[in-house]
């Protein structure tokens, strides 16, 4: 997908109502006050000898850079919000609200923009070491904890 298509996806998420209950479908999770979607992904690395990982991270980082620049052009300078402390707080038993719990489980930081009453979020995520890299976008009315 192109950066313009990523922006269109985020615009559609901003316009979509939030569901009353959490739902997960085809790389997207939504719930009261949030939508999270995978807008791009690399191949996985379970059978890779390591040679594809560098190219994949370069590719996803280039898409991430283009998306963050496009969102900055539209909404102003981003805030960079570290998620490591949220992850630590969650491991310690604190209840971290969605979507921040989901985002902190797969990424160390996000870029945030304020768009009216919504937060726009972009990050690169990866679950386990062999999982693909994901370019993730989120729209939420839930403030970062």
């Amino acid at each position: 997908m192109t950066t313009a298509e990523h922006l269109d996806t985020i615009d559609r998420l901003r316009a979509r109502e939030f569901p009353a209950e959490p739902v997960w479908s085809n790389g997207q999770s939504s719930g009261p006050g949030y939508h999270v979607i995978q807008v791009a992904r690399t191949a996985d690395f379970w059978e890779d000898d390591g040679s594809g990982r560098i190219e994949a991270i370069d590719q996803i980082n280039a898409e991430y850079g283009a998306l963050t620049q496009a969102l900055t052009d539209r909404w102003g300078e981003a805030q960079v919000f570290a998620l490591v402390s949220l992850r630590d707080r969650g491991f310690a038993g604190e209840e971290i609200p969605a979507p921040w719990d989901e985002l902190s489980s797969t990424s160390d930081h996000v870029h945030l923009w304020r768009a009216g009453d919504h937060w726009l979020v972009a990050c690169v995520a990866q679950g386990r070491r062999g999982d693909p890299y994901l370019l993730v976008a989120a729209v939420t009315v839930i403030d970062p904890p």
Side-chain angles (χ1 to χ4, degrees):
M1 290 177 66
T2 67
T3 301
E5 290 169 319
H6 297 333
L7 289 173
D8 183 60
T9 297
I10 292 167
D11 288 343
R12 282 185 280 116
L13 289 178
R14 284 184 59 229
R16 186 182 302 164
E17 289 191 31
F18 300 115
E21 297 293 325
V23 293
W24 174 266
S25 176
N26 297 325
Q28 179 177 338
S29 64
S30 294
Y34 72 92
H35 300 294
V36 178
I37 191 166
Q38 300 169 13
V39 294
R41 65 182 289 132
T42 67
D44 67 45
F45 305 103
W46 294 109
E47 303 297 324
D48 183 64
D49 63 2
S51 59
R53 186 178 300 273
I54 293 171
E55 182 179 324
I57 194 64
D58 287 347
Q59 170 202 336
I60 207 79
N61 279 335
E63 288 189 56
Y64 181 47
L67 179 59
T68 58
Q69 185 59 58
L71 288 166
T72 295
D73 291 346
R74 185 183 282 185
W75 297 105
E77 284 302 312
Q79 297 177 42
V80 178
F81 183 70
L83 299 174
V84 175
S85 65
L86 286 184
R87 184 172 33 235
D88 292 344
R89 289 165 42 195
F91 286 148
E94 183 178 336
E95 187 73 26
I96 305 298
W100 304 104
D101 58 343
E102 179 181 343
L103 295 167
S104 69
S105 71
T106 58
S107 186
D108 290 338
H109 71 277
V110 296
H111 281 78
L112 296 170
W113 296 264
R114 193 69 171 166
D117 62 346
H118 291 85
W119 288 103
L120 308 181
V121 184
C123 66
V124 172
Q126 184 185 35
R128 297 170 297 178
R129 183 162 171 75
D131 287 347
Y133 293 105
L134 307 171
L135 178 56
V136 174
V139 172
T140 184
V141 294
I142 301 165
D143 289 336

